[in-house]
């Protein structure tokens, strides 16, 4: 069975909104919104190492870290009961830089009674 590309994917729509909320928090420097989106057990895997929820939220201690962003080529994949993977290309510019950056991101989200919460994220710098 093939999926119809014109049929909206509710899982993709939900996860895109959740992921965009995390990026919006980075643009606004909103520690409360960032913390609310991340599970207490959150693990980030980045070029500079591992980060937990405290480190992810802590990056906003002095304000916004991202000036602008665009998320494209988004793909959602269920991972079993109450979990899903979102993968996409992020194009963004950090507040501290004049150069735009691109990276591929994979995030695992867990469904809770209050909605989706991010438990894992890994960034991979895009070539070129």
């Amino acid at each position: 069975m093939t999926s119809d590309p014109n049929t909206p994917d509710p899982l993709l729509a939900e996860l895109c909104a959740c992921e965009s909320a995390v990026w919006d928090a980075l643009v606004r420097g909103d520690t409360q919104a960032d913390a609310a989106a991340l599970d207490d057990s959150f693990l980030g895997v980045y070029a500079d190492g591992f980060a937990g929820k405290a480190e992810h939220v802590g990056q906003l201690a002095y304000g916004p870290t991202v000036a602008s962003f665009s998320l494209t080529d988004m793909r959602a994949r269920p991972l079993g009961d109450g979990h899903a993977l979102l993968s996409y290309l992020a194009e963004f510019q950090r507040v501290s830089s004049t150069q735009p950056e691109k990276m591929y991101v994979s995030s695992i989200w867990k469904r809770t009674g209050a909605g989706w919460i991010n438990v894992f994220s890994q960034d991979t710098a895009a070539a070129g």
Side-chain angles (χ1 to χ4, degrees):
M1 179 172 147
T2 18
S3 62
D4 179 355
N6 298 317
T7 302
D9 178 349
L11 176 63
L12 179 61
E14 286 180 55
L15 295 179
C16 287
C18 292
E19 192 76 29
S20 292
V22 173
W23 282 89
D24 286 334
L26 299 177
V27 169
R28 292 189 320 271
D30 187 339
T31 57
Q32 290 182 335
D34 192 44
L38 305 178
D39 190 71
D40 288 343
S41 70
F42 173 82
L43 174 64
V45 180
Y46 308 117
D48 60 350
F50 299 109
K53 179 176 181 173
E55 291 85 10
H56 195 281
V57 174
Q59 70 181 318
L60 300 174
Y62 300 104
T65 57
V66 173
S68 62
F69 71 92
S70 171
L71 310 180
T72 59
D73 201 13
M74 301 186 91
R75 304 156 188 231
R77 181 170 290 207
L79 294 178
D81 190 32
H83 288 82
L85 172 70
L86 179 68
S87 299
Y88 59 93
L89 174 63
E91 298 181 58
F92 63 101
Q93 187 162 335
R94 296 179 196 274
V95 170
S96 61
S97 176
T98 58
Q99 298 300 314
E101 298 177 51
K102 291 183 182 182
M103 66 183 173
Y104 291 96
V105 179
S106 291
S107 292
I108 297 175
W109 291 82
K110 175 175 71 174
R111 187 184 297 275
T112 68
W116 290 96
I117 193 156
N118 190 226
V119 296
F120 176 84
S121 184
Q122 182 167 6
D123 302 346
T124 303

